[in-house]
Amino acid sequence: MTDYATMANRQRSWMLYALAISVVGWGFTDYETVFAGLILGLVIGLFNLFLLQKRVDVIGEKAANNQTAKSFGSLSRFAAAILVVVVIMRFPEHFNLLAGIIGLMTPYFVIMIDFIFHHKETTTTKRGE
């Protein structure tokens, strides 16, 4: 498995952990609307993360073969984010807007944190060589 595939799997698993914790919070606390918004944002955020990782993989393959590639598919990710906001605004009694936005942004935090830890790990192992 390549380093990129390992990183992508690690990021998806962290997102699934966050989603599982949110489901438990929704089921066992009195903050149902907050956790429902977080769950909705995390689900769409996980979908967006998956789309981004697949596009990066395709663009990397095309670059390795000296071919041109299209964009990263930002339009579909923006449309999914807009869909979350529309659903939350349509049903404010069931979802919390701030929690939904935090859920949408969680994949980007996961990517940054994963990069920091992975960069720290690779820097430490290269110094030891």
Side-chain angles (χ1 to χ4, degrees):
M1 185 177 289
T2 65
D3 288 340
Y4 177 73
T6 304
M7 178 192 67
N9 286 338
R10 191 172 50 237
Q11 291 170 356
R12 282 191 296 255
S13 67
W14 279 110
M15 284 297 296
L16 289 172
Y17 291 144
L19 187 60
I21 290 168
S22 298
V23 169
V24 169
W26 176 75
F28 292 108
T29 66
D30 293 332
Y31 302 105
E32 293 168 351
T33 58
V34 172
F35 282 107
L38 192 60
I39 290 167
L40 181 63
L42 283 171
V43 167
I44 299 300
L46 181 61
F47 173 71
N48 284 344
L49 179 68
F50 179 75
L51 286 178
L52 180 65
Q53 289 172 342
K54 289 302 173 189
R55 287 298 300 165
V56 167
D57 196 33
V58 167
I59 288 173
E61 289 292 324
K62 290 195 179 221
N65 295 329
N66 292 327
Q67 298 173 340
T68 58
K70 294 183 181 178
S71 71
F72 284 104
S74 297
L75 185 65
S76 60
R77 292 195 316 270
F78 288 151
I82 290 170
L83 176 67
V84 168
V85 172
V86 167
V87 168
I88 290 173
M89 296 301 285
R90 175 69 175 95
F91 302 105
E93 65 275 2
H94 298 292
F95 300 104
N96 183 296
L97 180 62
L98 183 60
I101 292 171
I102 290 171
L104 278 172
M105 295 305 295
T106 302
Y108 302 105
F109 295 130
V110 167
I111 290 170
M112 287 186 279
I113 292 168
D114 183 62
F115 173 75
I116 290 168
F117 285 126
H118 181 67
H119 180 69
K120 189 177 187 179
E121 175 184 305
T122 56
T123 305
T124 306
T125 57
K126 286 185 180 181
R127 286 183 190 161
E129 293 180 341

